C-alpha cells in the first residue's frame, strides 16, 4: 500500500524559501542544491520547527511504515523512530500524527478510491486503534 502524499514541491521552487544548502533533516542525504537528483520535497507537520520540509524519499519510507498492519516488524520502523526522536516526540505520537496527516491529505484532496492507497476507513481505524 502506498502512502498518501501531500503536495510535492520541486527543489528549485523550495530553494527560494529555504536556500540551496538545505538538507533533509531525516536522511541528511538529499539536498536542495542537488537539482539533478531532486526527488521533491513535502511539508511534514510532525516537524516542531518552522522549516518542516523533508525529502520525498523520507516521506515515502516513514509514511508507508506508519501505515503498516505489522508496524512493529516493519523494516523502516527504525527510520520512524529516528525521526520521532529528532523531533522530540515519542514513536507512538509520531506515528499517530503521521496517519492523521495522511487522512487530512486524503480528505482535502477529494481523491476517488484507489486500491493502491489506504481508504479513509482504514486510516480512521488505525487512528482509533492508536488513540485507545
Amino acid at each position: 500500500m502506498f502512502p498518501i502524499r501531500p503536495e510535492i514541491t520541486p527543489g528549485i521552487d523550495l530553494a527560494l524559501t529555504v536556500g540551496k544548502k538545505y538538507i533533509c533533516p531525516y536522511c541528511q542525504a538529499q539536498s536542495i542544491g542537488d537539482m539533478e537528483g531532486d526527488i521533491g520535497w513535502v511539508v511534514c507537520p510532525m516537524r516542531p520547527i518552522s522549516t518542516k520540509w523533508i525529502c520525498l524519499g523520507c516521506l515515502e519510507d516513514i509514511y508507508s511504515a506508519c501505515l503498516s498492519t505489522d508496524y512493529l516488524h516493519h523494516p523502516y520502523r527504525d527510520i520512524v523512530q529516528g525521526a520521532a526522536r529528532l523531533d522530540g516526540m515519542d514513536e507512538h505520537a509520531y506515528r499517530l500524527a503521521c496517519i492523521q496527516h495522511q487522512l487530512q491529505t486524503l480528505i482535502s484532496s477529494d481523491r476517488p478510491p484507489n486500491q493502491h492507497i489506504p481508504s479513509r476507513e482504514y486510516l480512521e481505524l488505525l487512528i482509533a486503534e492508536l488513540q485507545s
Side-chain angles (χ1 to χ4, degrees):
M1 179 175 337
F2 296 108
I4 298 173
R5 296 177 176 170
E7 184 177 338
I8 300 168
T9 300
I12 195 163
D13 295 342
L14 187 56
L16 300 171
T17 305
V18 297
K20 290 183 180 180
K21 295 184 186 222
Y22 186 77
I23 297 173
C24 178
Y26 290 158
C27 68
Q28 296 288 309
Q30 291 294 321
S31 70
I32 301 271
D34 184 16
M35 294 304 173
E36 286 184 26
D38 182 30
I39 61 172
W41 297 82
V42 294
V43 171
C44 177
M46 289 81 79
R47 303 279 306 142
I49 60 174
S50 61
T51 308
K52 296 183 177 291
W53 297 95
I54 64 171
C55 73
L56 184 58
C58 284
L59 174 117
E60 292 283 340
D61 293 347
I62 292 168
Y63 278 43
S64 61
C66 288
L67 289 173
S68 177
T69 55
D70 191 17
Y71 174 75
L72 295 178
H73 299 100
H74 195 279
Y76 293 150
R77 180 179 176 209
D78 62 325
I79 297 172
V80 176
Q81 291 170 324
R85 214 173 13 260
L86 181 69
D87 291 340
M89 297 177 74
D90 71 46
E91 177 183 3
H92 183 86
Y94 189 95
R95 182 178 182 214
L96 178 60
C98 175
I99 296 168
Q100 288 171 329
H101 183 229
Q102 291 185 68
L103 178 60
Q104 291 167 349
T105 302
L106 178 67
I107 292 169
S108 67
S109 71
D110 200 29
R111 295 178 192 174
N114 178 328
Q115 66 184 19
H116 301 293
I117 62 170
S119 67
R120 180 176 182 162
E121 293 78 17
Y122 178 78
L123 293 170
E124 289 172 343
L125 179 63
L126 272 178
I127 290 168
E129 287 175 2
L130 288 169
Q131 288 176 330
S132 62

